Amino acid sequence: MMCAVCACRDAGCTGEMDARRGAFVCELAARTRNRGFTHYGCTPATSLSVNPAVRSLCAENRCQSYGRNWTCPPACGTLDDFSAALASRSVALVVQTVGQLEDEFDVEGMMAAERVHKERFAVLAQDALDGFNTGRQGLGSGIPRPLPLSAGACTLCTTCSCPDAPCRHPDRALVSMEAAGLMVSEACETAGLPYYHGPGAISYTSCILL
């Protein structure tokens, strides 16, 4: 696991405002241990890039969520929106949950690991937003709101209200890394995390842009 403060310094953070942001990132990274994540790492936000090819995979609609989920394309925002989000942040805190499967056909195990990861990340995302809101004056007005990016489509509701009615939980629904155009394997590599954990293992990855 990498130190959040070191990663923030690698991102070129200087000055009083960035020092405060570094402390905020460090505190949040420390909480990943309590939230149960298997691995975490930090990387400069500038090391990540929006990849149109990733978004095009969403358009293939293999998960049947394209145009049917408020956190998925095209409703979740444009790639330009997420490029701007990356440009305005300094650090990406990448977190990962690794589960063990009985065999390659263990769909129940996959779903269970995904559910656990999403539950953990929802709590960590709220930690980030709460910390930002309560510490906004100390952090400085120029620091943008944390942007949590989850793993896969939002599954808070059995059936999403998209496109017929507004999102039922706009304060809790999270856009995925893939929908934002981020290559998960690239994010893992730059944050110093393994993407593949060997036979019988499955991993789910999310990040928070800070």
Side-chain angles (χ1 to χ4, degrees):
M1 295 184 178
M2 295 174 62
C3 172
V5 171
C6 291
C8 188
R9 288 172 180 164
D10 289 343
C13 293
T14 56
E16 184 180 357
M17 181 180 295
D18 285 326
R20 288 196 295 262
R21 185 179 347 205
F24 176 52
V25 174
C26 188
E27 178 183 353
L28 186 62
R31 293 196 179 199
T32 63
R33 304 185 188 95
N34 298 328
R35 299 308 181 203
F37 292 101
T38 311
H39 301 288
Y40 82 85
C42 289
T43 185
T46 53
S47 69
L48 304 180
S49 60
V50 168
N51 188 336
V54 176
R55 175 65 75 91
S56 68
L57 293 177
C58 290
E60 293 181 7
N61 201 24
R62 295 178 181 176
C63 66
Q64 302 299 307
S65 295
Y66 189 86
R68 300 180 182 180
N69 193 305
W70 286 116
T71 67
C72 293
C76 64
T78 68
L79 292 182
D80 287 342
D81 294 332
F82 291 109
S83 290
L86 281 172
S88 64
R89 270 75 175 181
S90 289
V91 181
L93 172 61
V94 184
V95 295
Q96 193 176 75
T97 298
V98 180
Q100 296 297 319
L101 305 177
E102 293 184 2
D103 53 51
E104 60 182 314
F105 304 107
D106 185 8
V107 177
E108 291 185 1
M110 296 176 191
M111 294 176 64
E114 180 184 18
R115 182 175 63 254
V116 168
H117 177 77
K118 286 186 173 182
E119 290 173 353
R120 290 172 177 170
F121 188 68
V123 175
L124 185 67
Q126 195 59 54
D127 286 343
L129 296 174
D130 288 346
F132 174 78
N133 290 331
T134 57
R136 184 178 298 172
Q137 184 174 358
L139 287 170
S141 59
I143 293 180
R145 182 176 183 268
L147 177 59
L149 296 172
S150 190
C154 175
T155 54
L156 286 174
C157 302
T158 303
T159 302
C160 185
S161 60
C162 180
D164 302 316
C167 176
R168 302 182 186 95
H169 306 287
D171 56 332
R172 296 170 55 203
L174 300 175
V175 174
S176 72
M177 293 178 67
E178 296 90 345
L182 299 183
M183 184 78 73
V184 175
S185 58
E186 177 184 273
C188 290
E189 180 180 357
T190 57
L193 305 181
Y195 178 68
Y196 176 65
H197 291 268
I202 187 169
S203 63
Y204 292 91
T205 304
S206 301
C207 74
I208 302 179
L209 302 180
L210 300 151

